[in-house]
Amino acid sequence: MAFPCSASLSKKVLFIMGSTGTGKTKLSINLGMQFPSEIINSDKIQVYKGLDIVVNKIPKSERCGIPHHLLDVIENLDYDFTVDDFCKQAIAAIDLIHENGHLPIIVGGSNNYLEALVEDPNNAFRSKYECCFIWLHVSLPVLFQYLDKRVDEMVDAGLVDEIRRAFVPGADYSNGIRRAIGIPEFEQYILVEKETNDEAYRQKIFHDAIKKTKENTRVLAEVQLGKIQRLNDELGWGMNMIDSTEVFEAILKGENYKDLYQEIVSDPSMDIVKRFLEETTEDLTSYQNGEEAENCA
């Protein structure tokens, strides 16, 4: 649905931050359904085409018609998508979204890219845009359990088949999409399964690969948390932290968490964004009709 250009959105940018697995994408879609928004991906791995399971890329069917930028756009899997690449393309996307009269929502876990975007004097970001930061936090012990569960679900969904199809012997794992956790961890298994008929040995290597993937995902989550805390505490980003640990505890227990999510995550986030926009806006309306919102819930 088209919207007239609004001066109230012309300088505003919303960031959704958090460690891997904390629900950033889900929240971005929820907010995008309520405000005239477009989403900019800030995950340096999700800019590449393919390997959707490996990189946890949101499928088009779940984007609820909200335009996405810098997502699934680079075909050369070995291309080194640099910080400078991200900053230039993100700023271009922000300006385009503002021209459309929409709110840019920047979502992703590559915090080094976000720091460069906001803090590099060459970008003059703070002088150009008003920023609002939402930080989704889940206590690490609970998040670690959830991430382990997610890796198992990714394996069940076909993660190994994706890696197998993209496998290149001797590939450089320091550049491009092959930096993604899961690809280097499964290298030995992909090689072994072609070289031996010893099923017991293959299973051992397979389970070792899953274990390494889980361990490295946990390390990533902890490192990301440390970077976010530094951006907030040392650089004064003034983040609005939302602790959704209770929601994830309910998920792990197999309980119905929708009402809890609404109370703890969705409603407070909605209020934060409303206040951010109402600094210059008196009337905010949803741009999705009831049927669309219900279909995307």
Side-chain angles (χ1 to χ4, degrees):
M1 183 180 297
F3 282 80
C5 182
S6 170
S8 66
L9 300 179
S10 62
K11 295 296 182 181
K12 295 180 182 289
V13 180
L14 174 65
F15 291 77
I16 300 178
M17 305 179 66
S19 296
T20 183
T22 53
K24 300 182 295 295
T25 298
K26 177 181 175 64
L27 180 59
S28 72
I29 295 298
N30 287 348
L31 293 175
M33 289 164 57
Q34 299 301 320
F35 302 98
S37 309
E38 298 182 34
I39 293 172
I40 300 173
N41 164 55
S42 61
D43 185 306
K44 62 187 176 185
I45 301 298
Q46 293 190 6
V47 298
Y48 298 95
K49 287 183 176 291
L51 294 174
D52 293 357
I53 298 172
V54 176
V55 304
N56 289 291
K57 193 180 300 171
I58 182 173
K60 287 184 178 180
S61 62
E62 297 179 13
R63 298 176 196 172
C64 298
I66 302 168
H68 280 64
H69 303 259
L70 275 69
L71 181 70
D72 208 28
V73 293
I74 298 179
E75 295 188 6
N76 181 355
L77 301 186
D78 296 312
Y79 177 77
D80 184 19
F81 187 76
T82 66
V83 170
D84 287 341
D85 289 333
F86 171 74
C87 290
K88 290 176 183 176
Q89 294 191 34
I91 290 172
I94 289 169
D95 293 341
L96 175 61
I97 293 168
H98 283 152
E99 289 176 9
N100 293 338
H102 295 168
L103 173 68
I105 303 178
I106 300 181
V107 186
S110 296
N111 297 303
N112 289 341
Y113 284 25
L114 296 178
E115 180 177 359
L117 178 68
V118 174
E119 298 294 336
D120 190 330
N122 293 323
N123 296 326
F125 198 87
R126 291 286 197 177
S127 64
K128 294 178 181 177
Y129 310 108
E130 300 172 45
C131 302
C132 176
F133 302 92
I134 294 178
W135 166 17
L136 292 179
H137 175 66
V138 179
S139 69
L140 288 180
V142 174
L143 181 60
F144 287 168
Q145 292 180 60
Y146 174 78
L147 292 174
D148 286 355
K149 177 176 179 290
R150 190 177 72 169
V151 169
D152 290 333
E153 291 171 348
M154 291 164 62
V155 171
D156 291 341
L159 176 141
V160 181
D161 289 336
E162 275 194 351
I163 295 174
R164 188 184 292 114
R165 289 194 295 269
F167 180 73
V168 176
D172 181 0
Y173 292 109
S174 63
N175 288 320
I177 200 170
R178 291 184 173 84
R179 290 175 291 179
I181 293 176
I183 297 178
E185 288 80 1
F186 272 90
E187 178 186 31
Q188 186 179 2
Y189 173 71
I190 300 299
L191 291 171
V192 163
E193 70 173 354
K194 296 178 180 179
E195 296 172 354
T196 180
N197 293 322
D198 186 338
E199 183 60 25
Y201 180 63
R202 286 196 298 191
Q203 284 298 309
K204 178 185 181 304
I205 301 301
F206 176 72
H207 290 293
D208 285 347
I210 293 175
K211 181 181 178 182
K212 290 177 184 176
T213 300
K214 290 178 178 179
E215 290 173 349
N216 290 337
T217 303
R218 289 182 174 201
V219 169
L220 173 63
E222 190 164 10
V223 169
Q224 289 173 325
L225 175 59
K227 289 179 180 178
I228 291 169
Q229 290 172 327
R230 183 179 64 82
L231 292 174
N232 196 46
D233 299 340
E234 297 181 16
L235 299 184
W237 279 25
M239 298 181 191
N240 300 277
M241 191 188 81
I242 294 178
D243 190 334
S244 54
T245 300
E246 285 186 63
V247 175
F248 280 73
E249 288 174 335
I251 292 172
L252 290 168
K253 293 175 183 176
E255 298 174 353
N256 189 326
Y257 63 90
K258 288 188 177 181
D259 290 343
L260 193 60
Y261 178 85
Q262 187 77 25
E263 175 188 349
I264 293 177
V265 179
S266 184
D267 287 346
S269 297
M270 212 75 67
D271 289 341
I272 290 166
V273 177
K274 284 182 179 180
R275 290 196 302 270
F276 176 53
L277 299 182
E278 283 173 351
E279 291 173 1
T280 53
T281 303
E282 295 180 357
D283 183 26
L284 294 167
T285 57
S286 170
Y287 77 103
Q288 293 280 357
N289 63 37
E291 181 179 355
E292 289 172 324
E294 182 178 349
N295 288 340
C296 292

